[in-house]
Amino acid sequence: MALHTPATICAVHRLPGVVHLLVIFAVLVCVTNAYSQPAPDADLVDRPISDVTVHGLQQVPQQLVLNNIRTAVGQAYSEQTIRDDVARLDQLGRFATITAEAEVLDDGTVRVIFQVVEQPLIAEIQVVGNTLISDQDLLAVVRLMRGSPRDDYLVQHAVRSIQTAYRERGHYLATVLVDDSELEQSGILIFRIIEGPRVRIRSIEFQGNEAFEDRLLHREISTRTAILALRRGELDEDRLIEDVSAISSYYRDRGYLEVRVDRHVQLSPDHGEAAVTFLIDEGPLYTLRSVRTARLVDGEPLRVFAAEQIAALLDIRPGDVYSRDRLRRSVEAVEEAYGRLGYYPVQRRQRVEIIELHVPGEAQVDLLMEIDEGRPTRVGLVDVQGNFLTRDRVIRRHVRLQPGRPLDATELERTRRRIADTRLFGDVRITAQPPRESDIEDDDSEVRDILVEVRERNTGSVNFGVAVGSDSGLFGEISLRQDNFDIADTPASIGDLLRGRAFRGAGQRFSMAFRPGNEIFQYAINFTEPHLLDSEYSLNLGGSYQQRFFRRYDEERLTANAGLSRRLGDVWSVGVRSRVEHVELTSIAPFAPSELFRDAGPDLLTALGMTFTRSTVTTITRPGRGSRFQMSYDRIGAFGGDYGFNNIGAEYTVFLTVTEDFLGRRSTLRLNTEAGYIFGGRAPTYERYYRGGRTFRGFRFREVSPKGIRNDTGEPSNDPIGGEWMFFAGAQYEFPLFGEQVTGVVFIDTGTVTDSVGFDDYRVSIGTGVRLYIPQFGPVPIAFDLGFPILKERGDETQVLSFSAELPF
């Protein structure tokens, strides 16, 4: 028989409603008693446990319980261990009630009894009251299943997930209730949904902002008002919280360190609209009083740079507004200066630590910059890994870190970017390895090896697609492309060719294309060696046959071209190019301009030209900053042929980021100017300048041009024949509409095409459009523009809609 009456050590209950409250009260009483009375079973401590029993299990496996408790046969009895075991069992969420008791047996050992009451099983899960979202979509976010035990945490998680689903659809006031009584009686979990109206934002206001205008703050937030058929403008609480943070960061970056921001939402009487107000308490404007520098390691003065040199690098000076944005740029300048000299941080990646010391009673900040100067570092071995197909030299030609030279830390990222820009690899990483001591006597510098890691990607493709455009009509495309071609890597067998183990690895580019269409029919082949004989020279060879079907005639061109170019640093490049063409105009309409009959051919054209290019644009897809300038000169008839004249042209394009929100979505402005002039001989109509369609929106394709004389009547015609002088100037502002995939544009196109230098017959059009960026369709967006001429010439044919789209199969 037992020596003691069983003692309840700990109990946990999971009961709903009033019962739950009563149990909580009882537990409080027990806890109070436990602290006010001595423990009745102090003699249980340290006795060996001979039996551990679990009572009340029906659905839950006993082994699951034993796996989650630390109390076991043979161990010394511990009341704290049992309490911890009860807590662990409670975390399983499988039990409504858990109690633990202990008793001393006749042999002096202890029996521990866990008494559990299992959570009731859920018989069914239902949603009621929903009309906007289907049962299947709502149940998909519920992590409970029929036959699983009740888990209050998962029930509340399901409530929040359902509410989130409704808020994403603009139903800010959606309410989700759980029918507890039904769950207790029948085991049916019912989510009762009150959808409420869709809340759209009618207005956004800012209160308390004196330093910055509403329009500046509006750029920093992602909440937007509703625009019929264009923007839903739904109220989203999470987005409002992010907007509050964005406004706070905007102020702090500009010296308002004590700014406080909140939001207020006022609903209309029918709860269908909302007015959002951001409440701002700007606080004082802080200025910088002083800047001090010290070594991070020991607080001593700097050794590599003097304090005056560091001060000269900073973008912020004493007396300036304490702008954290300028402070970040200052820190970057200091880190770059050390990195360029080959000094690596000793202990941490963050070289500069900023300590802000607020001046008591003043809106001023003393700045302490603690700098980890590091040790002078030299480049060791440069190791390339991961390129099982691409030759080492293709990668190493982009690595400018030379063994034995100071390690320019800023060159690591530039090297990574240059290799990534080849688009030969799916991933590129450049890392400096842990330091090792220099092998040179009396050299206190350290040596770091450079590891270049690349991951090969599939650079070859066979493409089937269709393209449609207002200028080019509808045409299909079958193309073969290899961006990592090697003309010298001939296959040893058919198997090598089929497995892609041949003609690969030298970084050359090769493509073949067949494009049949209703306005264009083309064959084309192209080969490019970007580093001829491992030099900085690039060789391009190509050939094509093209038929172009215009309104009044057809044009056939058989072309062979070659080009040689060289980069002069990272910005400039120069090149020479040549072409030989056979051109013929056929199927000319009787009423077409007489100039077309005169230039019908067949003609032989030869050309030799030069190009000079300066580009600071770092990406060809959606550039946000930088510029590109190009000048070209071509001498037609350089190698003989039927025509001789000169063609000179220039183009300048600037990309500017106007705004960028905290999600990285940018609004950009593109300014573009082009000019071209033909002189020194007569050029045929098919070599002259034309504008219109996608090149001058609002006007029909090639419509911006001098007009010819009808061949049948000798009267003026409305058909273009091209001009010898072209000027164009345009601006386009692109801004995000929906995420990263859909953007809007507004633009203005201006220019002229005439036979003499000047600005006669000048045209102007304005318009708007959308861009659809779909990654599966490539980097070029699907573009739709509406252009409206506001200045045109007599006889010009307009075209409101212009578009272009390339869709792969």
Side-chain angles (χ1 to χ4, degrees), residues 103-161:
E103 60 182 10
V104 179
L105 303 180
D106 294 337
D107 57 1
T109 62
V110 179
R111 173 189 295 157
V112 179
I113 302 172
F114 289 92
Q115 183 71 42
V116 299
V117 177
E118 295 180 345
Q119 287 277 21
L121 298 181
I122 297 176
E124 190 67 48
I125 302 176
Q126 299 177 1
V127 290
V128 297
N130 55 306
T131 59
L132 297 172
I133 307 179
S134 68
D135 290 3
Q136 292 80 1
D137 290 340
L138 292 179
L139 292 176
V141 302
V142 178
R143 292 164 56 181
L144 291 161
M145 296 183 295
R146 184 175 60 180
S148 63
R150 172 177 173 170
D151 188 320
D152 291 338
Y153 170 78
L154 293 180
V155 170
Q156 292 305 313
H157 180 275
V159 169
R160 292 191 298 269
S161 298

Side-chain angles (χ1 to χ4, degrees), residues 206-212 217 220 243-263 278-286 322 324 356 358 363 365:
F206 301 89
Q207 289 185 6
N209 55 310
E210 297 179 0
F212 305 106
L217 299 180
E220 300 302 311
D243 290 342
V244 167
S245 176
I247 295 174
S248 298
S249 297
Y250 183 81
Y251 268 90
R252 291 192 178 96
D253 285 347
R254 287 154 181 82
Y256 292 86
L257 304 184
E258 297 180 7
V259 65
R260 293 185 298 175
V261 184
D262 202 352
R263 80 280 185 197
F278 291 97
L279 308 173
I280 303 171
D281 180 7
E282 294 180 331
L285 176 63
Y286 276 74
Y322 189 72
R324 285 181 174 166
E356 296 177 353
H358 289 231
V365 175

Side-chain angles (χ1 to χ4, degrees), residues 200-201 224-233 737:
R200 298 183 183 275
I201 299 175
R224 291 291 183 265
T225 56
I227 299 178
L228 183 64
L230 292 178
R231 193 168 59 205
R232 293 184 294 181
L737 286 178

Side-chain angles (χ1 to χ4, degrees), residues 47-64:
R47 290 178 179 270
I49 299 174
S50 60
D51 185 28
V52 177
T53 305
V54 183
H55 292 165
L57 294 178
Q58 297 179 3
Q59 302 291 335
V60 179
Q62 182 172 345
Q63 191 61 45
L64 177 63

Side-chain angles (χ1 to χ4, degrees), residues 491-604:
S493 64
I494 296 295
D496 287 348
L497 184 63
L498 295 178
R499 289 191 299 269
R501 297 287 181 173
F503 295 118
R504 290 185 66 184
Q508 302 163 353
R509 295 188 293 273
F510 176 79
S511 64
M512 297 176 60
F514 169 55
R515 301 183 181 95
N518 65 329
E519 295 186 19
I520 291 179
F521 185 89
Q522 184 185 60
Y523 297 97
I525 185 170
N526 188 268
F527 170 80
T528 300
E529 168 55 86
H531 292 271
L532 183 63
L533 302 176
D534 288 325
S535 69
E536 291 297 318
Y537 289 91
S538 174
L539 175 67
N540 179 265
L541 302 173
S544 66
Y545 170 76
Q546 176 177 294
Q547 286 183 302
R548 180 67 199 249
F549 310 114
F550 295 103
R551 285 191 297 169
R552 305 293 188 236
Y553 65 99
D554 299 340
E555 177 185 289
E556 295 185 17
R557 287 179 183 256
L558 181 62
T559 307
N561 57 69
L564 186 67
S565 63
R566 189 186 193 281
R567 293 197 63 86
L568 307 175
D570 292 332
V571 175
W572 284 94
S573 64
V574 60
V576 295
R577 59 191 182 187
S578 64
R579 64 184 169 107
V580 178
E581 283 190 305
H582 178 274
V583 185
E584 183 176 5
L585 307 183
T586 60
S587 303
I588 304 175
F591 51 85
S594 59
E595 291 85 352
L596 297 178
F597 289 92
R598 180 193 61 196
D599 300 333
D603 298 324
L604 177 65

